[in-house]
Amino acid sequence: MAKKTKQRSYSSLEEILMRKEQLTEVIHLEDREIKRLWTDLTTEEEGATTGSQIGKYISYGVMAYDGLMMMRKLKRNYGSLLSIFRR
């Protein structure tokens, strides 16, 4: 979410250009940080053992089962999945 800052009045073109350069630098730094974090999040562990891979798949299975059970309960309580959004 963007931060709210006080509007500053600029009295010259140089001030505007200097602020533009500052904002461009901040945007590039934040973009680099987002790319680094995204890479850390999406890269697979190369040295993952068989046990950790099996644990990961079991965890995915439990999450899928939990989601299906939640949908089943919602359907049973509300009669239809579409009626959930009507109330």
Side-chain angles (χ1 to χ4, degrees):
M1 187 176 246
K3 298 177 192 175
K4 288 192 174 187
T5 58
K6 286 186 358 184
Q7 290 289 343
R8 181 176 170 215
S9 60
Y10 298 101
S11 58
S12 68
L13 185 58
E14 289 81 25
E15 289 179 356
I16 294 172
L17 292 174
M18 188 171 59
R19 180 67 178 149
K20 180 182 174 185
E21 289 173 5
Q22 289 173 348
L23 289 174
T24 303
E25 183 178 337
V26 168
I27 289 171
H28 286 301
L29 289 173
E30 289 177 352
D31 183 51
R32 229 180 296 156
E33 180 68 14
I34 289 171
K35 286 179 182 178
R36 185 189 63 78
L37 291 172
W38 183 254
T39 302
D40 291 345
L41 182 67
T42 57
T43 55
E44 295 274 337
E45 294 179 19
E46 293 179 8
T49 63
T50 305
S52 66
Q53 288 177 347
I54 291 172
K56 181 175 69 171
Y57 294 135
I58 290 172
S59 174
Y60 288 158
V62 168
M63 285 188 291
Y65 177 77
D66 185 46
L68 288 172
M69 289 297 106
M70 182 185 68
M71 293 299 286
R72 180 176 170 253
K73 287 179 183 178
L74 288 172
K75 187 173 190 279
R76 185 178 55 195
N77 288 338
Y78 291 104
S80 169
L81 293 177
L82 295 177
S83 66
I84 294 170
F85 302 108
R86 291 185 192 144
R87 291 186 180 193

